[in-house]
């Protein structure tokens, strides 16, 4: 019997292509985390459409900042509540200190130090500390950007007053997941980190320098400088350099693409809200950091475009990522050099 030859153009490989695409998406996208993030952030976007209150979009960052450690560390609701209080207290302290620039710089550096110093009691405290530092610093800067003090105070008040909704949604998800798994809520933050002081000091130094530069030069979107400075302090100089490279790639690719997409689309409140929602979801939805960060940069530039100001925001985003990351690398290098010298002196004196 002669062999069968499919007609030219017959998509014989389409099932394989579809299967490969499905496998790729399954590897890159954390579907379960994405669904849960939509549950906690989606209501904030819906409330924004109803109330036309921008502060409700910023509340989405609080919600996802509570959700990320809760899912990764399987935190019970009681610990989620303590995490929530830590975010609010840190945010309130930085927000109130913002008019006094030296005080704001010192408190921001202290927040960065504490975010890492918690690893002294368990290495997984770094995850919890990061997601106190990031939303507190971001919101403390964001709510004051380009508005009067009275409007900033009102904005902060709306976030704080509405924030129990975010807490309730995250706790509900944790209760559901724990009941579905049928396990007892046992909180463990892992073994204490042997070397916690050096990265904590490096983070404090990097954040101090970044915050000081932001305040001295009055940089717009300065929260990205401080966030980036703390983000790259992840270990030794090699690891920190690798983290900065990923952030730089994400910014250089994502921001221009977001800007170009925004140029092709008209300004829109709906588009702005969807882009902000998508940017928030990238914090939790992707397995590879560089992909998530690149898409986050894309959606931030796109959101700025929908709001009518993408060009300036896009440029600031790239510059701020690089400046903050450079401060982080310098801080890691300096603390390592000082530490090595101290070790050598101890050996010689011994």
């Amino acid at each position: 019997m002669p062999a069968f030859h499919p007609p030219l153009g017959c998509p014989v490989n389409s099932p394989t292509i579809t299967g490969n695409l499905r496998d790729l998406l399954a590897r890159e996208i954390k579907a379960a985390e994405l669904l849960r993030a939509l549950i906690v952030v989606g209501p904030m976007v819906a409330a924004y459409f109803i109330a036309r209150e921008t502060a409700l979009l910023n509340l989405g960052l609080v919600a996802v900042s509570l959700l990320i450690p809760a899912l990764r560390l399987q935190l019970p609701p009681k610990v989620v509540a303590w995490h929530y209080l830590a975010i609010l207290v840190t945010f309130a302290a930085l927000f109130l200190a913002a008019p006094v620039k030296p005080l704001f710089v010192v408190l921001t550096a202290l927040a960065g130090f504490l975010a890492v110093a918690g690893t002294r009691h368990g290495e997984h405290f770094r995850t919890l500390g990061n997601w106190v530092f990031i939303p507190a610093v971001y919101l403390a800067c964001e709510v004051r950007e380009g508005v009067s003090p009275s409007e900033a105070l009102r904005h902060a008040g709306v976030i704080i007053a509405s924030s129990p909704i975010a807490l309730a949604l995250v706790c509900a998800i944790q209760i559901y997941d724990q009941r579905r798994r049928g396990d007892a809520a046992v909180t463990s933050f892992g073994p204490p980190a042997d070397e916690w002081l050096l990265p904590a000091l490096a983070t404090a130094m990097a954040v101090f320098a970044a915050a000081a530069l932001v305040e001295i030069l009055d940089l717009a979107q300065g929260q990205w400088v401080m966030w980036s400075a703390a983000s790259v302090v992840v270990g030794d100089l090699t690891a920190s350099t690798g983290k900065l490279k990923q952030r730089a790639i994400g910014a250089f690719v994502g921001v221009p693409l977001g800007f170009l997409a925004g140029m092709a689309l008209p300004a829109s409140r709906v588009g702005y809200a969807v882009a902000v929602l998508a940017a928030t979801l990238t914090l939790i939805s992707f397995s590879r950091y560089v992909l998530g960060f690149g898409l986050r940069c894309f959606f931030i530039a796109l959101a700025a475009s929908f709001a009518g100001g993408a060009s300036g925001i896009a440029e600031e985003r790239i510059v701020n990522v690089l400046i903050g990351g450079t401060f982080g690398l310098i801080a890691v290098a300096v603390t390592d050099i000082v530490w090595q010298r101290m070790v050598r002196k101890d050996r010689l004196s011994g």
Side-chain angles (χ1 to χ4, degrees), residues 32-33 35-41 67 70-71 75 77 167-181:
E33 286 85 347
L35 175 61
R36 284 156 177 76
L38 277 171
I39 292 172
V40 300
V41 180
L67 182 66
L71 294 180
L75 301 178
L167 173 63
L169 289 170
V170 175
C171 287
I173 285 175
Q174 289 304 97
I175 292 171
Y176 169 79
D177 283 347
Q178 288 170 0
R179 287 181 177 176
R180 184 171 57 87
R181 290 192 304 263

Side-chain angles (χ1 to χ4, degrees), residues 21 24 81 87 124 148 205 307 320 328 345:
L21 180 61
L24 176 63
I87 292 174
H124 297 317
S148 65
M205 288 173 55
N320 290 353
K345 285 183 179 180

Side-chain angles (χ1 to χ4, degrees), residues 52-131:
R52 295 178 176 268
E53 175 56 65
T54 306
L56 295 174
L57 286 179
N58 286 330
L59 184 60
L61 179 59
V62 176
V64 80
S65 297
L66 290 172
L67 182 66
I68 291 171
L71 294 180
R72 290 181 183 174
L73 307 178
Q74 297 184 8
L75 301 178
K78 182 170 71 172
V79 179
V80 175
W82 282 110
H83 179 202
Y84 162 79
L85 288 175
I87 292 174
L88 289 193
V89 169
T90 308
F91 163 57
L94 295 178
F95 174 80
L96 294 174
V100 185
K101 292 186 176 182
L103 179 60
F104 176 78
V105 171
V106 171
L107 287 182
T108 305
L110 177 60
F113 177 84
L114 294 176
V116 183
T119 57
R120 179 183 182 184
H121 305 288
E123 58 186 12
H124 297 317
F125 269 108
R126 178 68 187 264
T127 299
L128 207 59
N130 283 346
W131 292 104

Side-chain angles (χ1 to χ4, degrees), residues 141-148 151:
C141 296
E142 178 73 11
V143 298
R144 288 186 176 275
E145 189 82 26
V147 299
S148 65
E151 178 62 17

Side-chain angles (χ1 to χ4, degrees), residues 2-349:
F4 170 73
H5 297 285
L8 292 176
C10 181
V12 293
N13 292 327
S14 59
T16 303
I17 295 173
T18 303
N20 290 339
L21 180 61
R22 189 183 301 113
D23 292 341
L24 176 63
L25 292 175
R27 288 195 304 269
E28 297 293 346
I29 299 176
K30 301 177 181 178
E33 286 85 347
L34 175 59
L35 175 61
R36 284 156 177 76
L38 277 171
I39 292 172
V40 300
V41 180
M44 316 302 173
V45 177
Y48 163 74
F49 281 118
I50 295 171
R52 295 178 176 268
E53 175 56 65
T54 306
L56 295 174
L57 286 179
N58 286 330
L59 184 60
L61 179 59
V62 176
V64 80
S65 297
L66 290 172
L67 182 66
I68 291 171
L71 294 180
R72 290 181 183 174
L73 307 178
Q74 297 184 8
L75 301 178
K78 182 170 71 172
V79 179
V80 175
W82 282 110
H83 179 202
Y84 162 79
L85 288 175
I87 292 174
L88 289 193
V89 169
T90 308
F91 163 57
L94 295 178
F95 174 80
L96 294 174
V100 185
K101 292 186 176 182
L103 179 60
F104 176 78
V105 171
V106 171
L107 287 182
T108 305
L110 177 60
F113 177 84
L114 294 176
V116 183
T119 57
R120 179 183 182 184
H121 305 288
E123 58 186 12
H124 297 317
F125 269 108
R126 178 68 187 264
T127 299
L128 207 59
N130 283 346
W131 292 104
V132 171
F133 177 82
I134 290 170
V137 171
Y138 179 90
L139 292 176
C141 296
E142 178 73 11
V143 298
R144 288 186 176 275
E145 189 82 26
V147 299
S148 65
S150 60
E151 178 62 17
L153 185 61
R154 188 196 68 81
H155 194 143
V158 171
I159 291 175
I160 292 174
S162 306
S163 60
I165 299 172
L167 173 63
L169 289 170
V170 175
C171 287
I173 285 175
Q174 289 304 97
I175 292 171
Y176 169 79
D177 283 347
Q178 288 170 0
R179 287 181 177 176
R180 184 171 57 87
R181 290 192 304 263
D183 58 1
V186 179
T187 305
S188 173
F189 291 101
D194 294 330
E195 296 183 2
W196 63 272
L197 183 58
L198 208 61
L201 288 175
T203 303
M205 288 173 55
V207 172
F208 182 90
L213 182 70
V214 168
E215 296 300 330
I216 291 171
L217 300 183
D218 196 23
L219 296 180
Q221 302 296 317
Q223 61 268 30
W224 298 111
V225 183
M226 293 174 265
W227 182 345
S228 294
S231 177
V232 302
V233 183
V234 293
D236 58 17
L237 190 58
T238 301
S240 296
T241 302
K243 183 70 174 290
L244 178 57
K245 286 180 180 178
Q246 292 185 65
R247 292 178 67 83
I249 292 170
F252 274 110
V253 174
V255 169
L257 289 178
F259 175 58
L260 291 174
M263 289 178 62
L265 298 170
S268 165
R269 192 168 71 93
V270 174
Y272 173 75
V274 172
V276 171
L277 171 62
T280 305
L281 294 177
T282 61
L283 290 165
I284 191 174
S285 304
F286 294 93
S287 300
R288 286 194 294 170
Y289 181 83
V290 66
L291 179 60
F293 187 75
L295 285 171
R296 184 151 62 254
C297 292
F298 171 86
F299 286 118
I300 287 170
L302 184 60
S305 175
F306 284 129
S311 180
I313 296 292
E315 295 167 1
E316 290 161 2
R317 175 66 165 152
I318 294 175
V319 172
N320 290 353
V321 165
L322 296 178
I323 292 175
T326 301
F327 279 133
L329 289 185
I330 293 172
V332 171
V334 169
T335 52
D336 185 61
I337 291 171
V338 172
W339 180 258
Q340 294 298 333
R341 287 183 177 180
M342 291 175 61
V343 170
R344 283 197 297 268
K345 285 183 179 180
D346 288 343
R347 289 175 179 173
L348 291 174
S349 61

